[in-house]
Amino acid sequence: MSTTRHTAAPSPEFDLIRRYFVRPMRAAALGPGDDCALVSPSPGHELAITSDMLVAGTHFLPDTDPHRLGWKTLAVNLSDVAAMGATPRWVTLALSLPGVDHDWLAAFAAGFFDCADTFGVDLIGGDTTRGPLNLCVTAFGEVARGRAVRRGGAQAGDRIWVSGQPGRAALGLADLLGRLTLAPAARADCIAALEQPQPRVALGAALNGIASAMIDVSDGLLADLGHIAAASGLLAEVEDAALPRAALDATCADPAAVSDALLAGGDDYELLFCAPPAADAALAALSARLGLTLNRIGQLRAGSGVELIDDAGRPLPVVRRGYDHFS
């Protein structure tokens, strides 16, 4: 009597994972393919862990270029790690996909791994399922034990700083949605800021030991600064005249749109941080070393909340402070 031996066909789900998302590990003991990944933090360090979800129609337009979307899916999580003064090491990726589009997946994976290679992180696991397009990353960073930069460490008298040029991403989104029309060069620059943000990983690590509190600008400068003010139990005063507005004014002729983008637009993933006045020289040297503008935009004092003030210190009206997922 003969018997026939049956070999199970490979699962389409795991074939998809192997095809697009399995690569050699840089610094993980075990990556994708088992029930769990295995990692070993460096001696004397602790893990900084964050998760961010990007949902089609909420966090990105459905027709966003998949290569850029792959980059952004990872970059926004690396920005959170940077905002703790930590160095990103490992990430997991969970995908909900409406179907299997191999061209889309190849481009998405290429963008994701371009970002991973740029910042030296390993993809160590995740999951895939069928459903509305939804992208979720969990990122793991390392920071020397007890040295993480938290939101609640600011002191009265500290100065408030922001890196780079917040507001570009919001202007790019406004152009894509037809709310305003930018010149071609400005449009390309602002849409690139929206779709392919640059997480300030080197800056975040360098600010460890300098910054007293830090957050990344994801929901809007004023809204995110409000988290620092609340956690530190202080009033954050933002000087209207000190805001980095000139480049945005040159990009967009609508002053109201520029103000909204700068103060409430979000999606820039610049770092917003506080530091004592004694750190000014160190920050100037750091700005020069990284080739990145650091803008002093205000100060912290006794009180609560966030105020935009004029040259005389009088509060100015603010139409919108940032994005709220449930408003």
Side-chain angles (χ1 to χ4, degrees):
M1 182 176 179
S2 65
T3 60
T4 302
R5 189 168 186 174
H6 296 279
T7 303
S11 159
E13 177 187 358
F14 290 105
D15 181 62
L16 181 152
I17 292 169
R18 282 191 295 269
R19 182 172 179 177
Y20 294 109
F21 298 108
V22 173
R23 291 177 33 155
M25 298 292 100
R26 294 179 183 85
L30 181 65
D34 218 306
D35 291 300
C36 293
L38 299 174
V39 298
S40 299
S42 301
H45 288 69
E46 52 194 356
L47 293 178
I49 304 170
T50 183
S51 289
D52 248 325
M53 185 183 302
L54 275 68
V55 179
T58 299
H59 301 98
F60 61 92
L61 299 178
D63 61 351
T64 298
D65 173 78
H67 186 281
R68 285 185 165 185
L69 182 58
W71 174 286
K72 182 172 184 175
T73 298
L74 179 54
V76 301
N77 284 269
L78 302 189
S79 181
D80 280 335
V81 174
M84 297 291 290
T87 300
R89 297 291 303 278
W90 310 281
V91 297
T92 65
L93 171 64
L95 296 171
S96 171
L97 301 169
V100 177
D101 180 333
H102 290 286
D103 290 340
W104 189 95
L105 277 167
F108 176 88
F112 188 95
F113 283 117
D114 280 352
C115 189
D117 291 342
T118 297
F119 297 102
V121 302
D122 284 336
L123 176 63
I124 59 173
D127 192 20
T128 59
T129 190
R130 183 182 293 274
L133 184 57
N134 187 346
L135 317 165
C136 184
V137 167
T138 298
F140 303 78
E142 287 187 326
V143 62
R145 186 169 291 116
R147 290 286 303 275
V149 184
R150 304 184 182 188
R151 299 176 182 180
Q155 302 293 318
D158 282 357
R159 293 174 172 173
I160 303 167
W161 299 78
V162 68
S163 66
Q165 181 59 73
R168 292 160 62 227
L171 289 180
L173 178 61
D175 186 289
L176 286 173
L177 295 175
R179 296 172 181 165
L180 53 80
T181 302
L182 302 175
R187 181 178 193 272
D189 175 69
C190 290
I191 292 174
L194 171 71
E195 295 182 345
Q196 200 167 7
Q198 303 299 310
R200 303 303 188 186
V201 170
L203 175 62
L207 286 171
N208 197 314
I210 298 176
S212 57
M214 187 155 51
I215 193 171
D216 67 336
V217 181
S218 57
D219 292 330
L221 190 151
L222 293 183
D224 290 319
L225 182 56
H227 297 308
I228 288 179
S232 297
L234 295 168
L235 168 65
E237 292 182 325
V238 176
E239 300 168 17
D240 185 62
L243 290 167
R245 191 187 303 269
L248 297 182
D249 285 335
T251 295
C252 175
D254 182 343
V258 166
S259 291
D260 183 72
L262 180 55
L263 295 172
D267 242 4
D268 296 294
Y269 302 98
E270 296 291 353
L271 292 182
L272 181 63
F273 61 94
C274 307
D280 284 3
L283 292 173
L286 178 58
S287 174
R289 178 166 67 84
L290 296 180
L292 177 63
T293 301
L294 302 179
N295 306 285
R296 189 193 68 78
I297 61 169
Q299 55 281 319
L300 292 151
R301 64 178 179 83
S304 62
V306 177
E307 288 183 351
L308 180 68
I309 60 173
D310 64 14
D311 290 342
R314 295 171 299 210
L316 294 169
V318 176
V319 175
R320 191 172 72 95
R321 292 175 176 265
Y323 179 75
D324 187 330
H325 290 270
F326 297 99
S327 64

